[in-house]
């Protein structure tokens, strides 16, 4: 006995009707996704390298500083979150764009608040603060791209794994 599919359409026709979520992404968004994945790994590694001597001094003298714990959390949280949301976008997860929007907005707000606090303390713009301004200027077009693609991504797109599972179910 032969296994017959429960649809009148053949597999080639169905394959043409599916649109992969990655095909919905413009080239600029694909570049941003890869840039932020690589930059996030670099950010975590450089944060660990730069602060390792400070952590060793705290461990050696056994003085616990709650500010140190907050700086470790914020220094590692945003790069890890940024990496994960961009990885999920590249893997075509359905809610990845929404997660990316939330992480980007939170990072922009955190960066702006940090910039304002440092400026209020120092009363001038330091050269290191220009890097912060550059990062926010890079995040704004990324946020616009995510907002533009969000509806189409959640409604019409299908991931490669979902497409394979659907065709296995038809066989």
């Amino acid at each position: 006995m032969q296994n017959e599919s429960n649809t009148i359409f053949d597999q080639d026709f169905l394959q043409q009707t599916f649109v992969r979520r990655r095909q919905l992404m413009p080239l600029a968004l694909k570049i941003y996704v890869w840039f932020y994945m690589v930059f996030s790994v670099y950010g975590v590694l450089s944060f660990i390298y730069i602060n390792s001597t400070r952590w060793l001094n705290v461990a050696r003298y056994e003085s616990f500083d709650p500010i140190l714990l907050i700086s470790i959390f914020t220094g590692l949280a945003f790069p890890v979150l940024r990496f994960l949301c961009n990885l999920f976008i590249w893997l075509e997860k359905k809610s990845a764009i929404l997660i990316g929007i939330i992480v980007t907005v939170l990072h922009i707000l955190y960066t702006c608040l940090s910039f304002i606090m440092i400026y209020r303390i120092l009363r001038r713009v330091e050269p290191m603060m220009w890097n912060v301004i550059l990062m926010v200027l890079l995040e704004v077009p990324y946020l616009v791209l995510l907002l533009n693609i969000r509806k189409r991504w959640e409604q019409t797109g299908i991931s490669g794994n979902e497409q394979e599972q659907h065709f296995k179910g038809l066989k």
Side-chain angles (χ1 to χ4, degrees):
M1 192 183 290
Q2 247 182 0
N3 290 339
E4 293 184 22
S5 66
N6 56 0
T7 179
I8 62 172
F9 301 110
D10 63 344
Q11 195 169 2
D12 294 330
F13 176 78
L14 289 174
Q15 209 164 12
Q16 292 172 358
T17 60
F18 287 128
V19 177
R20 291 211 38 198
R21 289 188 185 117
R22 201 174 293 159
Q23 291 173 339
L24 296 173
M25 293 170 57
L27 179 62
L29 185 58
K30 290 177 184 177
I31 292 170
Y32 267 113
V33 165
W34 279 104
F35 170 75
Y36 279 129
M37 281 197 296
V38 170
F39 192 74
S40 297
V41 170
Y42 171 75
V44 168
L45 293 176
S46 64
F47 181 79
I48 291 171
Y49 177 74
I50 290 170
N51 291 311
S52 61
T53 57
R54 181 177 173 198
W55 298 337
L56 289 174
N57 287 338
V58 169
R60 188 178 304 147
Y61 298 116
E62 297 180 16
S63 62
F64 178 74
D65 187 13
I67 302 296
L68 177 66
L69 187 62
I70 292 170
S71 70
I72 291 171
F73 176 74
T74 57
L76 292 177
F78 281 118
V80 169
L81 285 174
R82 176 62 52 97
F83 176 80
L84 288 176
C85 74
N86 284 294
L87 179 65
F88 291 155
I89 289 172
W90 191 252
L91 295 176
E92 304 172 87
K93 300 296 182 190
K94 189 172 184 174
S95 61
I97 297 293
L98 181 62
I99 294 169
I101 291 170
I102 292 169
V103 169
T104 304
V105 167
L106 287 175
H107 191 258
I108 289 172
L109 290 174
Y110 174 78
T111 304
C112 290
L113 287 174
S114 299
F115 184 84
I116 290 169
M117 288 174 44
I118 291 171
Y119 183 76
R120 288 185 132 188
I121 292 170
L122 298 177
R123 302 275 186 217
R124 65 182 181 275
V125 177
E126 292 290 321
M128 186 65 148
M129 294 167 72
W130 288 107
N131 293 340
V132 173
I133 294 170
L134 177 66
M135 286 305 295
V136 170
L137 291 177
L138 277 174
E139 286 180 326
V140 171
Y142 175 68
L143 180 62
V144 170
L145 287 168
L146 290 177
L147 290 171
N148 286 338
I149 198 174
R150 185 175 142 227
K151 292 244 190 248
R152 289 185 298 149
W153 181 277
E154 292 173 352
Q155 292 174 352
T156 61
I158 187 167
S159 72
N161 289 337
E162 292 169 350
Q163 189 174 9
E164 288 175 17
Q165 289 172 356
H166 181 74
F167 286 127
K168 284 180 184 176
L170 290 177
K171 291 183 180 180

